[in-house]
Amino acid sequence: MLTKFETKSNRVKGLSFHPKRPWILASLHSGVIQLWDYRMGTLIDRFDEHDGPVRGVHFHRSQPLFVSGGDDYKIKVWNYKLRRCLFTLLGHLDYIRTVSFHQEYPWIVSASDDQTIRIWNWQSRTCIAVLTGHNHYVMCATFHPKDDLVASASLDQTVRVWDISGLRKKTVSPGGEDVLRLPQMNSDLFGGGDAVVKYVLEGHDRGVNWASFHPTLPLIVSGADDRQVKLWRMNDTKAWEVDTLRGHINNVSCVLFHARSDIIVSNSEDKSIRVWDMSKRTGVQTFRREHDRFWILSAHPEVNLLAAGHDSGMIVFKLERERPAYATSGGVLYYVKDRYLRSYDYASQRDTPLITVRASGAGGAHAARSLSYNPAESAVLVSSDADGGSYQLFMVPKDGRTESQAEPKRGLGATAVFIARNRFAVLDKANNQIQVRNLQNEVTKKSNSPTATTDAIFYAGTGALLCRSDDKVVLFDVQQRQVLGELSTPFVKYVVWSGDMAQVALLSKHAIIIADKKLANSCTVHETIRVKSAAWDDNGVLIYTTLNHIKYCLPNGDSGIIRTLDVPVYITQVKGDVISCLDREGRNRQIQVDTTEYKFKLALLQRKFDTVLAMIKGSGLTGQSIIAYLQQKGFSEVALHFVKDERTRFNLAIECGNIEVALQSAQELDDKDTWYQLGVEALRQGNHQIVEFSYQKTKNFERLSFLYLITGNLDKLGKMLKIAEMRSDVMGRFHNALYLGDVRERFKILQESGQHALAYVTAKTHGMEEEAAALAEEIGEGSLPQVGGDALLLMPPTPILREDNWPLLTVSKGFFENLAQQEVGGAPAADMEELDMEEGVGAAWGADDGLDLDGVDALATDQDGVEDVVGDSGEDEEGGWEMEDLELPAEPATPVGGAGFGDTATPFVAPPPGVPPSGRWLQKCGLAAEHAAAGDFASAMRLLQRQLGLANFEPMQPYFLQVAAGAQAILPALPGLPPTVASLDRNWNGEAGSVPPTAPALVFSLAGLEEELKRAYRSVTEGKFGDALSRFTAILHTIPLLVVPTRKEVDDVKELLAIAKEYNIALRIELKRKELGASDPKKAAELAAYFTHAKLQPVHQALSLRSAMSIFFKMKNLATCATFCRRLLELNPGQKMAAQARQVLAACEKTPTDAEPLEYDARNPFDVCSVTFTPIYRGNKFVVDPYTQARFQPSCAGQISPVGDLAKIGADVSGLMCCPIQLQSR
């Protein structure tokens, strides 16, 4: 028995596999029905409306339904998508033992302790037949898979077979409904004539608990309290007992035929499951539990899986392995199938049976587990689990001849593998020894295993073995009896060596460990789905399969999906873009795959840039995943060559600092946000010409004035003053006058604004006596403000450089940066000058209708007008990027000592510095925010990466800087001396004396974020979605740098994080919908529907529903529109909105149909992937953003989550740490 899944719960009385999904239903004695995903090992849902034990449960074959019956006399039909009971069928008068759907008709059959069997029509929700005849409890009833028959088992010691063909003709045939309307007197009491007893099978000595039909043959199997399993055969006229299977020592609870093998499986209250050979009618295998009685069995209708329920839960299991044993050598595959050793030539695709392999163990139950091939001697070792582990040694005939076959040599051993031309090793687990044998199966050498718990050995090169124990793998030299290497691993199932034996992949259930030939660990790949097989390609890339994917793993540990699989396969060879594999039936398959993605990543990893460039130009390798990968690995300049979309191209250029490409893209996009980002990056690089141009394009007058101030461009600063006056911008005029040191202009502004007291102070302070006297008379002597006598006039600073641009560092550019520079072409400075001259006043300042610029035309014609702000024709425009060296006079040599010291004077030794407060903070504090405040950004980033999976820290940079700056105070010093920096401690107490630093002061607080949340809510209400998204994203960026003192506030922080995540996803959906517009109305409608399922505030929820209602009503999807109307009315909106919703609902209910099919199911709960903008329905696979817990499609694993643009999707993390108490409790 191979256990695949096991649960611990109350007693399981009913089981049912889903025919398509990896789900199983378990009904419990406690009254709960559990829905499990046995592949992932997770509980999907639970249903608990029954009162008392639930003994029967069954999935429908095609509909999202299941039926249950319990001790409360009720049959309930459930919809698992809606997660609720649809209706209840009443009629039975005692406990209901089993319920089952018909394969084809809308029928349910139920068996009850009221001694009847009932057949129900679940569509009309009525009982259509009552089968009476048993005179004791009816323990089970089931439909035949194909014929119009029902089998029932009862404690009256009989099995009855019922013919229901009359019922089918009456209810399903044409005209059946008219017959159904005829009165049927006492049909409930005596039973109708539509179902009649065909056979009564008598032979059991006690009550019969179960009876099952064979899926294809005219056979029935039954199990009873007489501890016997009986096999029955039937024909058109009679049924008779074929044989009795004895072996159970207590009541037989359940028995059934295996769908894929000629075996019978039964379980019993004797705590065992028994497997019987149907042809020999003998027991083959027995599986026991220590303390749990078995009650129910279920077989999967499609897959080789069984499930059994017992007193403390259930198990899902296989009876034998489905993985074929195989080995590849020299272009030929050797494998075992149908008791034959076969060879398959990859080149000719010829499959040849070579040798008959006799199955080992009782009844042939033990299939081959592993195979080892010796090309030198054409010998094959086949290992199996028979007799606790055994092997067979075959000599393969030359040239594929199969006329004669020598008897194989056999022996006992857990594993047998070849280690030399004429030697093989056998693991003797009983004595913990490794035996070396020759081809005559004679022991030539023995040595103790390198570990006390070695349970398997694998080939590791000539004379070497990999020895597996529970928690590690050991490289063992058999000849020298020496351990060469050791590696801690999960439990390793398979070992795959590369062609040159330089690398090895150790495959465990959910992980792959790649190591070199000395077992030095290179990387580890973790999988949530079971790993099945692997093989190396010619480039040193590992290709492996899980249950449902073919994937790759690069030498650095990066992995990705190549394609999905319908059924599991086992890779045997990878050659180019063809993967050869075996399926579970032992059939050879060749799968064509696209290897471009991983070959591109490999070339990038190996820094073969010529190959990378050729692949960029010659292949259609595109997509967000490739761009995200390049960004993550620091190759943004490479990603620039992938994209034609100017928005993406601009973002990549900004990220890699390529200001020329960014400028080119900004000109194409020409929107405010783009110019703002370009200005920020240009300012970071010190390119103030592009900064000026960006500020002009965004009409950012305040920043532009300050830029002219710090660059010393007083002429343009004076013209900015004129522009502010033209715009009636009082504060702008005052700031520009202040920057210029223009006292009279400041006085004029204050006087015009009615600020007479401030105007008086200004005039009096700067010696404007006449103006001050005039104002004094106007104000009055008693109201005059006091004027200080030590005031000084603030004048603009003198710039250090008066060149066209600040000098930039000369750096060597990489391969792709030079290539990008060639594509852009030209000198950036010259381009800027040309752009400046082309842009007129109207385009740069006055053409925007949104600005109220009176008198623009008059001002534009003025010789000293705004036009000169952009460019001055008198300046030299051909300077370009002049970087010549300055001829500076040599500095005079100054002696180290002063004039009064001789050469032999003792040098002054400064005392060693003490530990700065930031160093003490790092020693005492363990939170990321505190490390950032102390200035150690690297350790803060490491903490955030480990705790939250953050991988992209670019958005966090301004917050890191704010935190670091907020923990320091700058104290001015004497002129010419640098200022003094003082560290601000969070626990500082002014009343105490000297207090050592304990924790830095922090600028971000929970209260501040709550205020920001209110502002974000207000932006959403006002429909400013872009602004709201920026605010919620800022909250997500700030939370990692938050520190709170109590656990209650930790919970508040997590709640705030959840709110920001929900709104971030919702707003991105809505902005994506607005971006699509009329170009893709179907996708836009789907996004509008998804937006309504976000967990928003009620007022925002109502607005989203109203929007979706309008969209769906216009596109004639009235059925879905009606659901939005109902949900909107449930929120109790305002009177006007409610009236509109009722009108739309009334119109929709007249024709409740959808004109356009959409990918949207309102009844099935789902999350929305923020990368693909597609729904992830309950039960589907997903990966998680470790920081925000947002869910994404599995293909997004490894990308940077767009919800905050911080975390790596699918990363393993320890969780958010924002309170010192959390560190103490760890």
Side-chain angles (χ1 to χ4, degrees):
M1 176 192 289
L2 300 175
T3 301
K4 296 297 180 182
F5 174 60
E6 187 167 2
T7 68
K8 297 293 183 183
S9 67
N10 212 303
R11 181 184 303 168
V12 175
K13 299 294 289 184
L15 290 170
S16 178
F17 281 102
H18 194 283
K20 300 298 181 186
R21 299 183 179 182
W23 293 355
I24 187 169
L25 278 170
S27 60
L28 309 184
H29 199 264
S30 62
V32 175
I33 302 170
Q34 295 177 334
L35 176 58
W36 292 89
D37 185 322
Y38 54 80
R39 180 181 292 176
M40 298 295 292
T42 55
L43 178 65
I44 299 173
D45 216 332
R46 64 196 306 272
F47 310 88
D48 54 358
E49 290 187 17
H50 278 285
D51 295 327
V54 184
R55 300 180 185 273
V57 68
H58 192 238
F59 268 119
H60 194 277
R61 186 179 183 183
S62 57
Q63 298 296 322
L65 305 174
F66 68 88
V67 61
S68 62
D71 286 6
D72 54 2
Y73 313 165
K74 296 176 182 178
I75 298 173
K76 290 182 177 286
V77 177
W78 309 74
N79 186 311
Y80 56 74
K81 284 188 176 180
L82 300 179
R83 304 175 62 192
R84 63 182 178 87
C85 176
L86 298 181
F87 55 87
T88 301
L89 302 173
L90 300 174
H92 280 297
L93 306 176
D94 208 336
Y95 297 169
I96 297 167
R97 294 286 179 171
T98 64
V99 286
S100 177
F101 282 109
H102 195 279
Q103 294 277 341
E104 183 179 353
Y105 306 138
W107 293 350
I108 296 169
V109 63
S110 59
S112 171
D113 285 1
D114 63 6
Q115 305 180 15
T116 67
I117 301 152
R118 287 179 178 255
I119 300 177
W120 313 77
N121 185 317
W122 57 264
Q123 288 182 340
S124 63
R125 305 183 184 182
T126 57
C127 177
I128 58 174
V130 181
L131 284 59
T132 58
H134 285 295
N135 54 29
H136 209 306
Y137 300 163
V138 184
M139 301 301 288
C140 86
T142 181
F143 289 113
H144 192 280
K146 298 177 181 178
D147 299 334
D148 294 328
L149 299 174
V150 170
S152 62
S154 170
L155 294 187
D156 62 6
Q157 303 180 15
T158 66
V159 175
R160 291 179 179 245
V161 180
W162 309 77
D163 186 344
I164 57 170
S165 56
L167 183 65
R168 177 183 58 80
K169 293 173 184 177
K170 176 180 177 181
T171 59
V172 181
S173 301
E177 294 183 359
D178 295 335
V179 179
L180 192 62
R181 294 193 185 99
L182 297 176
Q184 300 177 5
M185 294 183 59
N186 298 325
S187 63
D188 281 359
L189 183 60
F190 300 105
D194 305 326
V196 297
V197 177
K198 191 171 185 180
Y199 315 117
V200 178
L201 310 180
E202 298 178 324
H204 283 288
D205 297 333
R206 292 188 181 179
V208 186
N209 293 315
W210 205 267
S212 298
F213 287 112
H214 193 281
T216 56
L217 300 176
L219 298 174
I220 296 174
V221 66
S222 62
D225 287 348
D226 59 5
R227 308 174 186 176
Q228 297 176 0
V229 174
K230 288 186 178 290
L231 185 64
W232 313 79
R233 182 177 287 274
M234 59 184 179
N235 58 21
D236 292 339
T237 58
K238 63 177 181 178
W240 64 96
E241 181 182 338
V242 176
D243 208 344
T244 300
L245 309 176
R246 295 179 175 86
H248 283 295
I249 57 174
N250 207 331
N251 302 340
V252 179
S253 307
C254 188
V255 60
L256 48 79
F257 293 100
H258 196 283
R260 301 164 67 93
S261 305
D262 290 336
I263 58 175
I264 295 169
V265 185
S266 63
N267 65 8
S268 165
E269 295 180 41
D270 64 5
K271 306 170 188 175
S272 71
I273 299 175
R274 288 181 178 263
V275 181
W276 314 83
D277 189 312
M278 201 166 73
S279 57
K280 298 179 181 178
R281 294 159 198 166
T282 57
V284 177
Q285 292 172 291
T286 302
F287 309 107
R288 299 185 185 277
R289 291 186 73 87
E290 289 292 330
H291 307 292
D292 300 316
R293 297 167 295 176
F294 285 100
W295 298 101
I296 186 68
L297 277 172
S298 180
H300 197 288
E302 306 289 340
V303 184
N304 183 23
L305 283 176
L306 295 167
H310 51 78
D311 281 337
S312 58
M314 69 163 176
I315 53 172
V316 177
F317 62 96
K318 292 180 182 178
L319 292 177
E320 60 183 20
R321 296 159 52 88
E322 295 180 285
R323 176 192 176 96
Y326 62 88
T328 303
S329 176
V332 178
L333 171 69
Y334 297 91
Y335 67 103
V336 177
K337 176 187 176 184
D338 297 335
R339 300 185 180 180
Y340 276 94
L341 174 65
R342 310 177 72 92
S343 68
Y344 176 77
D345 190 299
Y346 291 115
S348 63
Q349 298 186 11
R350 181 184 177 188
D351 195 321
T352 307
L354 299 178
I355 298 173
T356 303
V357 178
R358 185 178 302 169
S360 306
H366 296 285
R369 178 167 44 82
S370 64
L371 187 149
S372 179
Y373 178 70
N374 182 346
E377 300 293 337
S378 293
V380 173
L381 279 168
V382 178
S383 300
S384 72
D385 292 327
D387 303 320
S390 62
Y391 65 90
Q392 300 179 70
L393 174 62
F394 297 90
M395 304 305 294
V396 179
K398 302 291 184 182
D399 303 325
R401 292 173 293 149
T402 58
E403 296 84 21
S404 61
Q405 175 180 337
E407 185 70 17
K409 296 177 175 59
R410 296 184 173 85
L412 297 178
T415 320
V417 293
F418 284 105
I419 57 171
R421 184 179 63 82
N422 56 359
R423 295 287 188 273
F424 64 93
V426 178
L427 175 62
D428 181 4
K429 285 179 64 177
N431 299 313
N432 197 31
Q433 289 183 337
I434 297 174
Q435 302 174 356
V436 179
R437 294 174 177 259
N438 57 24
L439 297 184
Q440 285 70 44
N441 202 22
E442 299 167 344
V443 177
T444 61
K445 187 175 183 179
K446 290 184 179 180
S447 61
N448 292 326
S449 298
T451 64
T453 58
T454 301
D455 58 2
I457 55 175
F458 304 95
Y459 175 70
T462 303
L465 292 171
L466 284 176
C467 300
R468 177 191 74 189
S469 60
D470 290 338
D471 57 351
K472 64 181 176 181
V473 171
V474 175
L475 180 61
F476 183 61
D477 189 316
V478 179
Q479 187 68 28
Q480 300 178 8
R481 297 174 177 168
Q482 182 180 357
V483 173
L484 303 179
E486 184 176 308
L487 182 62
S488 297
T489 65
F491 185 77
V492 174
K493 299 174 69 177
Y494 310 106
V495 171
V496 182
W497 286 91
S498 60
D500 57 1
M501 298 295 290
Q503 288 185 297
V504 61
L506 309 175
L507 281 70
S508 67
K509 189 174 182 180
H510 291 291
I512 299 174
I513 299 92
I514 296 179
D516 62 16
K517 59 184 177 181
K518 295 184 179 179
L519 282 194
N521 188 10
S522 297
C523 60
T524 302
V525 179
H526 295 280
E527 292 288 341
T528 55
I529 306 295
R530 286 194 293 274
V531 178
K532 305 306 290 183
S533 66
W536 295 87
D537 79 343
D538 298 333
N539 300 307
V541 177
L542 182 72
I543 310 300
Y544 65 96
T545 61
T546 63
L547 276 173
N548 47 15
H549 286 110
I550 299 177
K551 307 182 84 171
Y552 64 85
C553 177
L554 299 180
N556 66 340
D558 291 338
S559 62
I561 297 175
I562 297 177
R563 60 164 290 172
T564 57
L565 294 171
D566 297 327
V567 294
V569 296
Y570 304 92
I571 298 178
T572 58
Q573 187 189 57
V574 180
K575 207 73 174 176
D577 57 356
V578 176
I579 294 178
S580 302
C581 55
L582 287 168
D583 62 17
R584 284 179 165 173
E585 305 298 327
R587 294 187 295 260
N588 278 285
R589 294 174 56 186
Q590 289 191 335
I591 302 176
Q592 196 85 16
V593 296
D594 184 2
T595 61
T596 309
E597 178 182 331
Y598 78 74
K599 286 184 178 177
F600 172 81
K601 292 181 178 180
L602 182 65
L604 201 64
L605 177 65
Q606 297 172 346
R607 308 191 75 80
K608 296 179 180 178
F609 294 130
D610 293 335
T611 306
V612 171
L613 188 59
M615 295 182 74
I616 291 172
K617 294 180 177 179
S619 70
L621 190 63
T622 56
Q624 290 297 324
S625 62
I626 285 291
I627 295 171
Y629 178 83
L630 291 168
Q631 288 179 278
Q632 176 190 352
K633 297 299 179 183
F635 291 102
S636 299
E637 69 275 12
V638 182
L640 277 173
H641 299 274
F642 273 93
V643 292
K644 302 299 181 185
D645 176 63
E646 292 296 343
R647 171 67 60 190
T648 309
R649 189 173 173 82
F650 173 80
N651 292 333
L652 290 171
I654 288 294
E655 183 173 334
C656 63
N658 195 327
I659 202 72
E660 294 85 3
V661 177
L663 175 61
Q664 186 185 50
S665 298
Q667 291 168 341
E668 295 292 333
L669 295 168
D670 197 23
D671 63 67
K672 187 172 182 179
D673 290 341
T674 303
W675 287 114
Y676 173 75
Q677 293 180 52
L678 179 64
V680 171
E681 177 61 23
L683 188 62
R684 188 185 69 83
Q685 294 188 13
N687 194 328
H688 72 75
Q689 289 183 336
I690 295 182
V691 176
E692 177 186 1
F693 186 59
S694 300
Y695 289 168
Q696 291 173 1
K697 297 293 288 185
T698 56
K699 299 177 177 58
N700 201 329
F701 304 115
E702 292 82 4
R703 290 174 181 262
L704 195 58
S705 296
F706 192 75
L707 178 68
Y708 291 148
L709 173 67
I710 62 175
T711 56
N713 198 332
L714 301 185
D715 293 337
K716 290 185 178 180
L717 193 57
K719 290 163 188 174
M720 289 299 299
L721 177 61
K722 295 180 182 179
I723 291 174
E725 185 175 1
M726 175 190 71
R727 295 174 57 244
S728 301
D729 182 1
V730 177
M731 286 304 299
R733 286 177 61 195
F734 188 82
H735 284 156
N736 284 293
L738 187 66
Y739 294 159
L740 287 166
D742 190 340
V743 179
R744 294 195 173 275
E745 183 67 23
R746 283 161 51 196
F747 173 79
K748 177 182 175 183
I749 295 168
L750 292 170
Q751 191 174 21
E752 290 175 356
S753 303
Q755 300 290 338
H756 298 298
L758 290 176
Y760 172 79
V761 172
T762 303
K764 190 71 175 175
T765 301
H766 296 94
M768 301 168 60
E769 297 297 337
E770 294 181 6
E771 290 83 352
L775 276 178
E777 294 179 2
E778 184 177 344
I779 297 172
E781 291 294 334
S783 302
L784 288 177
Q786 296 294 324
V787 178
D790 55 351
L792 295 175
L793 177 61
L794 182 66
M795 295 298 293
T798 303
I800 299 174
L801 294 175
R802 292 184 180 273
E803 298 179 358
D804 291 339
N805 209 345
W806 290 334
L808 306 179
L809 289 177
T810 303
V811 294
S812 59
K813 294 190 176 181
F815 179 85
F816 288 94
E817 288 177 311
N818 288 326
L819 195 65
Q821 179 64 36
Q822 294 170 15
E823 291 179 358
V824 175
D831 288 348
M832 278 300 306
E833 289 296 332
E834 184 178 353
L835 288 169
D836 288 351
M837 297 306 296
E838 289 177 358
E839 294 290 338
V841 176
W845 305 107
D848 195 335
D849 295 334
L851 297 174
D852 184 13
L853 304 179
D854 297 328
V856 174
D857 296 335
L859 186 61
T861 57
D862 194 321
Q863 195 66 25
D864 296 326
V866 186
E867 187 174 2
D868 292 336
V869 174
V870 181
D872 190 349
S873 60
E875 295 177 359
D876 184 8
E877 295 180 0
E878 297 179 358
W881 294 84
E882 294 181 355
M883 302 292 290
E884 69 271 9
D885 295 332
L886 299 176
E887 297 180 3
L888 300 175
E891 294 184 2
T894 304
V896 176
F901 292 91
D903 294 339
T904 59
T906 304
F908 171 75
V909 179
V915 179
S918 59
R920 295 188 182 275
W921 290 341
L922 291 173
Q923 294 171 4
K924 297 183 179 182
C925 302
L927 297 176
E930 295 167 330
H931 282 236
D936 193 346
F937 291 176
S939 66
M941 288 191 288
R942 283 195 298 271
L943 286 172
L944 292 175
Q945 184 178 20
R946 186 166 64 247
Q947 295 169 4
L948 303 177
L950 269 56
N952 178 28
F953 288 92
E954 188 69 23
M956 297 285 291
Q957 182 181 3
Y959 302 91
F960 271 62
L961 294 174
Q962 286 185 54
V963 169
Q968 309 290 337
I970 307 299
L971 305 177
L974 295 174
L977 295 179
T980 302
V981 179
S983 299
L984 303 179
D985 199 87
R986 190 160 73 239
N987 299 320
W988 178 80
N989 184 358
E991 298 179 358
S994 176
V995 179
T998 56
L1002 297 172
V1003 296
F1004 298 126
S1005 66
L1006 181 58
L1009 288 187
E1010 288 172 348
E1011 290 299 320
E1012 182 67 13
L1013 179 64
K1014 293 176 183 177
R1015 289 189 285 270
Y1017 279 158
R1018 194 176 306 115
S1019 296
V1020 175
T1021 306
E1022 294 170 356
K1024 300 176 182 178
F1025 294 141
D1027 177 64
L1029 179 60
S1030 300
R1031 292 185 183 278
F1032 283 112
T1033 303
I1035 291 174
L1036 291 176
H1037 292 169
T1038 308
I1039 286 175
L1041 299 177
L1042 206 59
V1043 175
V1044 294
T1046 64
R1047 287 194 177 275
K1048 180 184 180 303
E1049 289 180 304
V1050 172
D1051 296 335
D1052 293 341
V1053 171
K1054 292 180 178 178
E1055 182 181 359
L1056 179 63
L1057 174 62
I1059 293 172
K1061 180 258 294 187
E1062 287 293 335
Y1063 271 84
N1064 187 290
I1065 295 172
L1067 292 171
R1068 293 184 74 256
I1069 292 171
E1070 181 64 8
L1071 291 173
K1072 179 68 175 178
R1073 182 187 71 79
K1074 292 180 180 293
E1075 180 184 339
L1076 290 175
S1079 62
D1080 190 353
K1082 180 179 177 181
K1083 184 62 178 178
E1086 291 173 353
L1087 292 175
Y1090 302 159
F1091 188 34
T1092 66
H1093 288 265
K1095 298 174 183 175
L1096 309 180
Q1097 294 294 309
V1099 60
H1100 303 150
Q1101 189 81 43
L1103 292 171
S1104 69
L1105 286 167
R1106 185 180 66 176
S1107 173
M1109 177 183 72
S1110 174
I1111 293 170
F1112 276 71
F1113 186 79
K1114 291 176 182 177
M1115 69 184 301
K1116 304 301 182 185
N1117 275 34
L1118 302 182
T1120 308
C1121 181
T1123 64
F1124 295 140
C1125 297
R1126 296 188 189 98
R1127 289 173 56 196
L1128 178 56
L1129 292 172
E1130 288 174 0
L1131 293 175
N1132 296 321
Q1135 186 176 359
K1136 182 179 178 181
M1137 191 184 297
Q1140 183 187 16
R1142 291 190 185 96
Q1143 291 176 359
V1144 175
L1145 179 59
C1148 293
E1149 288 178 340
K1150 293 178 182 178
T1151 54
T1153 58
D1154 286 339
E1156 184 75 26
L1158 299 177
E1159 187 183 355
Y1160 170 63
D1161 185 358
R1163 297 168 296 181
N1164 191 1
F1166 64 87
D1167 298 281
V1168 179
C1169 173
S1170 294
V1171 175
T1172 62
F1173 293 99
T1174 54
I1176 307 171
Y1177 289 104
R1178 182 184 294 274
N1180 291 353
K1181 293 182 288 298
F1182 59 85
V1183 289
V1184 176
D1185 172 358
Y1187 172 35
T1188 64
Q1189 301 303 308
R1191 295 185 176 183
F1192 296 87
Q1193 299 286 3
S1195 60
C1196 302
Q1199 299 184 29
I1200 298 298
S1201 168
V1203 184
D1205 294 319
L1206 297 176
K1208 180 179 179 181
I1209 299 173
D1212 292 327
V1213 299
S1214 59
L1216 177 65
M1217 290 287 177
C1218 59
C1219 178
I1221 300 176
Q1222 291 177 289
L1223 298 176
Q1224 298 170 7
S1225 61
R1226 293 187 66 182

